[in-house]
């Protein structure tokens, strides 16, 4: 198989996000441990790609990252990283998800960890990997019968009132079936 154009997207650990505030966090030791495990996994993934002479670009996850020039996205993090990337990916793009800290990070969508990544990558490149197609939801939000927003996602839609204590009123439509609802949100 021709080596695909690869983008490695990684999460920022809680410790790196907390930055200067980290000394005030009550779970600082856990954050340090998670940060170290995540960096070790990320470094391992990069080393494996380099060892196999596979070129790649790397970027921290960001909501408006452009994935269009890549046909394989490798995520290093957990389900949050997978979900954020999946929102922006298009039909022909593939995703290989690595759980960077299986002892701590939730990774239901992750196919591997840093220890199993190399064998999965080799299966993928040889065409022997089992690919799983995940379908995205398309949520269309209208306000006063006018398009307000379109969202594509796997399983991570939260629709609620701007004030979380307020009641949300909405209509769910599937084909020609409509149902008016009230709740704290969807």
């Amino acid at each position: 198989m021709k080596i695909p154009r690869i983008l490695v997207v990684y999460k920022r650990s809680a410790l790196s996000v907390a930055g200067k505030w980290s000394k005030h966090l009550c779970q600082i030791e856990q954050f340090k441990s998670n940060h170290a495990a995540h960096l070790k996994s990320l470094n391992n993934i990069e080393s494996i790609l380099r060892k196999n002479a596979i070129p790649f670009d790397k970027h921290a996850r960001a909501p408006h990252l452009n994935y269009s020039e890549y046909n394989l996205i490798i995520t290093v993090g957990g389900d949050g990283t997978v979900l954020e990337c999946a929102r922006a990916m298009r039909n022909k793009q593939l995703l290989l998800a690595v759980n960077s800290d299986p002892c701590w990070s939730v990774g239901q969508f992750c196919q591997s960890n840093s220890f199993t990544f190399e064998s999965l990558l080799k299966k993928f490149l040889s065409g022997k990997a089992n690919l799983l197609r995940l379908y995205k939801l398309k949520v269309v939000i209208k306000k006063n019968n006018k398009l307000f927003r379109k969202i594509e996602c796997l399983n991570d839609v939260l629709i609620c009132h701007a004030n979380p204590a307020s009641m949300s009123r909405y209509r769910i439509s599937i084909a020609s079936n409509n149902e008016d609802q009230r709740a704290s949100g969807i």
Side-chain angles (χ1 to χ4, degrees), residues 9-174:
V9 178
Y10 61 95
K11 74 173 184 179
R12 290 184 176 98
S13 71
L15 183 64
S16 67
V17 172
K20 66 180 181 180
W21 302 106
S22 62
K23 64 184 173 198
H24 302 291
L25 299 173
C26 59
Q27 296 178 320
I28 190 67
E29 291 309 313
Q30 183 65 56
F31 283 0
K32 285 180 181 177
S33 172
N34 298 144
H35 179 76
H38 174 67
L39 286 182
K40 185 176 179 181
S41 289
L42 182 59
N43 290 335
N44 190 40
I45 300 310
E46 291 179 64
S47 294
I48 290 167
L49 292 169
R50 284 189 194 100
K51 180 177 88 175
N52 289 282
I54 299 173
F56 64 95
D57 293 330
K58 181 177 99 170
H59 201 288
R61 76 183 235 200
H64 301 292
L65 192 56
N66 183 3
Y67 297 90
S68 63
E69 63 186 83
Y70 302 97
N71 47 9
L72 175 62
I73 312 300
I74 298 173
T75 62
V76 182
D79 284 347
T81 308
V82 171
L83 293 170
E84 186 170 305
C85 289
R87 275 187 224 110
M89 292 174 64
R90 298 297 164 238
N91 289 339
K92 300 291 183 188
Q93 293 176 301
L94 299 173
L95 183 128
L96 197 161
V98 180
N99 187 335
S100 63
D101 188 4
C103 293
W104 185 259
S105 182
V106 175
Q108 295 299 313
F109 288 114
C110 297
Q111 301 97 335
S112 69
N113 57 46
S114 68
F115 301 108
T116 61
F117 173 74
E118 188 166 20
S119 65
L120 182 59
L121 180 67
K122 286 181 179 180
K123 282 182 185 176
F124 173 78
L125 292 174
S126 69
K128 295 178 182 172
N130 293 324
L131 300 180
L132 173 66
R133 180 180 293 266
L134 296 176
Y135 295 92
K136 292 199 278 187
L137 298 169
K138 183 183 277 186
V139 178
V140 177
I141 302 171
K142 293 182 178 181
K143 247 184 181 177
N144 301 323
N145 274 343
K146 292 183 181 178
L147 178 65
F148 177 69
R149 189 164 181 204
K150 285 185 185 179
I151 303 166
E152 288 187 358
C153 60
L154 290 178
N155 73 344
D156 61 335
V157 176
L158 171 62
I159 302 171
C160 63
H161 193 282
N163 176 355
S166 294
M167 178 70 64
S168 294
R169 291 169 178 80
Y170 51 90
R171 172 177 287 169
I172 294 179
S173 300
I174 299 174

